[in-house]
mmCIF file of all heavy atoms in Angstrom:
data_model
loop_
_atom_site.group_PDB
_atom_site.id
_atom_site.type_symbol
_atom_site.label_atom_id
_atom_site.label_comp_id
_atom_site.label_asym_id
_atom_site.label_seq_id
_atom_site.Cartn_x
_atom_site.Cartn_y
_atom_site.Cartn_z
ATOM 1 N N PRO A 1434 7.679 12.204 -22.990
ATOM 2 C CA PRO A 1434 6.393 12.788 -23.431
ATOM 3 C C PRO A 1434 5.343 12.845 -22.280
ATOM 4 O O PRO A 1434 4.534 13.856 -22.312
ATOM 5 C CB PRO A 1434 5.959 11.871 -24.566
ATOM 6 C CG PRO A 1434 6.647 10.614 -24.294
ATOM 7 C CD PRO A 1434 7.923 10.980 -23.619
ATOM 8 N N GLU A 1435 5.319 11.872 -21.427
ATOM 9 C CA GLU A 1435 4.260 11.867 -20.372
ATOM 10 C C GLU A 1435 4.578 12.961 -19.376
ATOM 11 O O GLU A 1435 3.643 13.612 -18.882
ATOM 12 C CB GLU A 1435 4.265 10.501 -19.657
ATOM 13 C CG GLU A 1435 3.712 9.465 -20.545
ATOM 14 C CD GLU A 1435 2.287 9.691 -21.095
ATOM 15 O OE1 GLU A 1435 1.451 10.168 -20.324
ATOM 16 O OE2 GLU A 1435 2.032 9.421 -22.303
ATOM 17 N N ASP A 1436 5.859 13.188 -19.045
ATOM 18 C CA ASP A 1436 6.217 14.251 -18.184
ATOM 19 C C ASP A 1436 5.900 15.591 -18.749
ATOM 20 O O ASP A 1436 5.420 16.481 -18.052
ATOM 21 C CB ASP A 1436 7.753 14.194 -17.830
ATOM 22 C CG ASP A 1436 8.104 12.953 -17.014
ATOM 23 O OD1 ASP A 1436 7.716 12.940 -15.839
ATOM 24 O OD2 ASP A 1436 8.764 12.056 -17.524
ATOM 25 N N ALA A 1437 6.149 15.751 -20.065
ATOM 26 C CA ALA A 1437 5.814 17.067 -20.684
ATOM 27 C C ALA A 1437 4.375 17.330 -20.658
ATOM 28 O O ALA A 1437 3.902 18.427 -20.341
ATOM 29 C CB ALA A 1437 6.258 17.003 -22.146
ATOM 30 N N LYS A 1438 3.557 16.304 -20.810
ATOM 31 C CA LYS A 1438 2.085 16.465 -20.732
ATOM 32 C C LYS A 1438 1.693 16.829 -19.263
ATOM 33 O O LYS A 1438 0.900 17.704 -19.010
ATOM 34 C CB LYS A 1438 1.384 15.162 -21.088
ATOM 35 C CG LYS A 1438 -0.093 15.272 -21.253
ATOM 36 C CD LYS A 1438 -0.624 13.997 -21.805
ATOM 37 C CE LYS A 1438 -2.203 14.099 -21.871
ATOM 38 N NZ LYS A 1438 -2.805 12.864 -22.391
ATOM 39 N N ALA A 1439 2.247 16.102 -18.318
ATOM 40 C CA ALA A 1439 1.931 16.332 -16.938
ATOM 41 C C ALA A 1439 2.327 17.695 -16.442
ATOM 42 O O ALA A 1439 1.634 18.305 -15.625
ATOM 43 C CB ALA A 1439 2.560 15.217 -16.042
ATOM 44 N N LEU A 1440 3.423 18.241 -16.954
ATOM 45 C CA LEU A 1440 3.888 19.522 -16.591
ATOM 46 C C LEU A 1440 3.205 20.668 -17.401
ATOM 47 O O LEU A 1440 3.427 21.828 -17.145
ATOM 48 C CB LEU A 1440 5.417 19.636 -16.855
ATOM 49 C CG LEU A 1440 6.296 18.848 -15.877
ATOM 50 C CD1 LEU A 1440 7.742 18.752 -16.407
ATOM 51 C CD2 LEU A 1440 6.246 19.445 -14.523
ATOM 52 N N GLY A 1441 2.434 20.321 -18.373
ATOM 53 C CA GLY A 1441 1.737 21.252 -19.158
ATOM 54 C C GLY A 1441 2.625 22.079 -20.074
ATOM 55 O O GLY A 1441 2.385 23.249 -20.260
ATOM 56 N N ILE A 1442 3.655 21.397 -20.548
ATOM 57 C CA ILE A 1442 4.654 22.130 -21.425
ATOM 58 C C ILE A 1442 3.934 22.488 -22.730
ATOM 59 O O ILE A 1442 3.399 21.628 -23.453
ATOM 60 C CB ILE A 1442 5.848 21.301 -21.734
ATOM 61 C CG1 ILE A 1442 6.524 20.927 -20.374
ATOM 62 C CG2 ILE A 1442 6.850 21.976 -22.596
ATOM 63 C CD1 ILE A 1442 6.881 22.038 -19.510
ATOM 64 N N GLU A 1443 3.906 23.791 -23.097
ATOM 65 C CA GLU A 1443 3.221 24.242 -24.308
ATOM 66 C C GLU A 1443 4.130 24.246 -25.524
ATOM 67 O O GLU A 1443 3.654 24.052 -26.634
ATOM 68 C CB GLU A 1443 2.749 25.666 -24.054
ATOM 69 C CG GLU A 1443 1.731 25.781 -22.937
ATOM 70 C CD GLU A 1443 1.451 27.141 -22.458
ATOM 71 O OE1 GLU A 1443 1.708 28.161 -23.221
ATOM 72 O OE2 GLU A 1443 0.901 27.343 -21.365
ATOM 73 N N SER A 1444 5.429 24.450 -25.330
ATOM 74 C CA SER A 1444 6.294 24.452 -26.504
ATOM 75 C C SER A 1444 7.769 24.339 -25.982
ATOM 76 O O SER A 1444 8.031 24.459 -24.807
ATOM 77 C CB SER A 1444 6.162 25.725 -27.346
ATOM 78 O OG SER A 1444 6.573 26.843 -26.603
ATOM 79 N N VAL A 1445 8.639 24.147 -26.915
ATOM 80 C CA VAL A 1445 10.079 24.134 -26.574
ATOM 81 C C VAL A 1445 10.726 25.285 -27.442
ATOM 82 O O VAL A 1445 10.213 25.585 -28.514
ATOM 83 C CB VAL A 1445 10.803 22.785 -26.877
ATOM 84 C CG1 VAL A 1445 10.355 21.718 -25.898
ATOM 85 C CG2 VAL A 1445 10.553 22.350 -28.339
ATOM 86 N N PRO A 1446 11.804 25.845 -26.890
ATOM 87 C CA PRO A 1446 12.530 25.519 -25.670
ATOM 88 C C PRO A 1446 11.681 26.025 -24.462
ATOM 89 O O PRO A 1446 10.817 26.988 -24.587
ATOM 90 C CB PRO A 1446 13.815 26.313 -25.823
ATOM 91 C CG PRO A 1446 13.474 27.475 -26.729
ATOM 92 C CD PRO A 1446 12.463 26.934 -27.655
ATOM 93 N N CYS A 1447 12.015 25.412 -23.349
ATOM 94 C CA CYS A 1447 11.352 25.813 -22.037
ATOM 95 C C CYS A 1447 12.371 25.623 -20.938
ATOM 96 O O CYS A 1447 13.016 24.607 -20.877
ATOM 97 C CB CYS A 1447 10.102 25.032 -21.826
ATOM 98 S SG CYS A 1447 9.251 25.286 -20.258
ATOM 99 N N LEU A 1448 12.416 26.613 -20.054
ATOM 100 C CA LEU A 1448 13.264 26.483 -18.945
ATOM 101 C C LEU A 1448 12.384 26.453 -17.687
ATOM 102 O O LEU A 1448 11.543 27.322 -17.443
ATOM 103 C CB LEU A 1448 14.227 27.707 -18.750
ATOM 104 C CG LEU A 1448 15.140 27.689 -17.518
ATOM 105 C CD1 LEU A 1448 16.170 26.596 -17.627
ATOM 106 C CD2 LEU A 1448 15.790 29.088 -17.429
ATOM 107 N N LEU A 1449 12.521 25.316 -16.952
ATOM 108 C CA LEU A 1449 11.760 25.180 -15.699
ATOM 109 C C LEU A 1449 12.660 25.553 -14.496
ATOM 110 O O LEU A 1449 13.773 25.064 -14.413
ATOM 111 C CB LEU A 1449 11.279 23.762 -15.533
ATOM 112 C CG LEU A 1449 10.368 23.167 -16.611
ATOM 113 C CD1 LEU A 1449 10.011 21.728 -16.320
ATOM 114 C CD2 LEU A 1449 9.095 24.045 -16.780
ATOM 115 N N VAL A 1450 12.112 26.384 -13.638
ATOM 116 C CA VAL A 1450 12.864 26.841 -12.457
ATOM 117 C C VAL A 1450 12.162 26.297 -11.232
ATOM 118 O O VAL A 1450 11.011 26.705 -10.950
ATOM 119 C CB VAL A 1450 12.961 28.374 -12.363
ATOM 120 C CG1 VAL A 1450 13.703 28.836 -11.165
ATOM 121 C CG2 VAL A 1450 13.518 28.971 -13.661
ATOM 122 N N TYR A 1451 12.846 25.448 -10.521
ATOM 123 C CA TYR A 1451 12.289 24.870 -9.344
ATOM 124 C C TYR A 1451 13.089 25.372 -8.127
ATOM 125 O O TYR A 1451 14.288 25.462 -8.190
ATOM 126 C CB TYR A 1451 12.454 23.322 -9.293
ATOM 127 C CG TYR A 1451 11.495 22.629 -10.184
ATOM 128 C CD1 TYR A 1451 11.775 22.306 -11.520
ATOM 129 C CD2 TYR A 1451 10.185 22.192 -9.694
ATOM 130 C CE1 TYR A 1451 10.856 21.688 -12.296
ATOM 131 C CE2 TYR A 1451 9.325 21.522 -10.501
ATOM 132 C CZ TYR A 1451 9.675 21.281 -11.785
ATOM 133 O OH TYR A 1451 8.791 20.658 -12.611
ATOM 134 N N GLN A 1452 12.409 25.690 -7.102
ATOM 135 C CA GLN A 1452 13.032 26.131 -5.815
ATOM 136 C C GLN A 1452 12.470 25.294 -4.689
ATOM 137 O O GLN A 1452 11.213 25.254 -4.478
ATOM 138 C CB GLN A 1452 12.734 27.616 -5.461
ATOM 139 C CG GLN A 1452 13.423 28.126 -4.241
ATOM 140 C CD GLN A 1452 14.885 28.333 -4.494
ATOM 141 O OE1 GLN A 1452 15.334 28.903 -5.492
ATOM 142 N NE2 GLN A 1452 15.669 27.849 -3.571
ATOM 143 N N ASP A 1453 13.321 24.471 -4.046
ATOM 144 C CA ASP A 1453 12.868 23.552 -2.999
ATOM 145 C C ASP A 1453 11.737 22.599 -3.433
ATOM 146 O O ASP A 1453 10.815 22.354 -2.697
ATOM 147 C CB ASP A 1453 12.494 24.323 -1.755
ATOM 148 C CG ASP A 1453 13.615 25.132 -1.201
ATOM 149 O OD1 ASP A 1453 14.809 24.625 -1.283
ATOM 150 O OD2 ASP A 1453 13.418 26.250 -0.637
ATOM 151 N N GLY A 1454 11.834 22.120 -4.703
ATOM 152 C CA GLY A 1454 10.868 21.179 -5.209
ATOM 153 C C GLY A 1454 9.605 21.773 -5.740
ATOM 154 O O GLY A 1454 8.749 21.101 -6.271
#
Side-chain angles (χ1 to χ4, degrees):
E1435 294 301 317
D1436 291 290
K1438 186 176 180 181
L1440 289 167
I1442 302 304
E1443 298 168 19
S1444 65
V1445 289
C1447 179
L1448 179 67
L1449 300 179
V1450 180
Y1451 285 91
Q1452 184 75 47
D1453 298 326

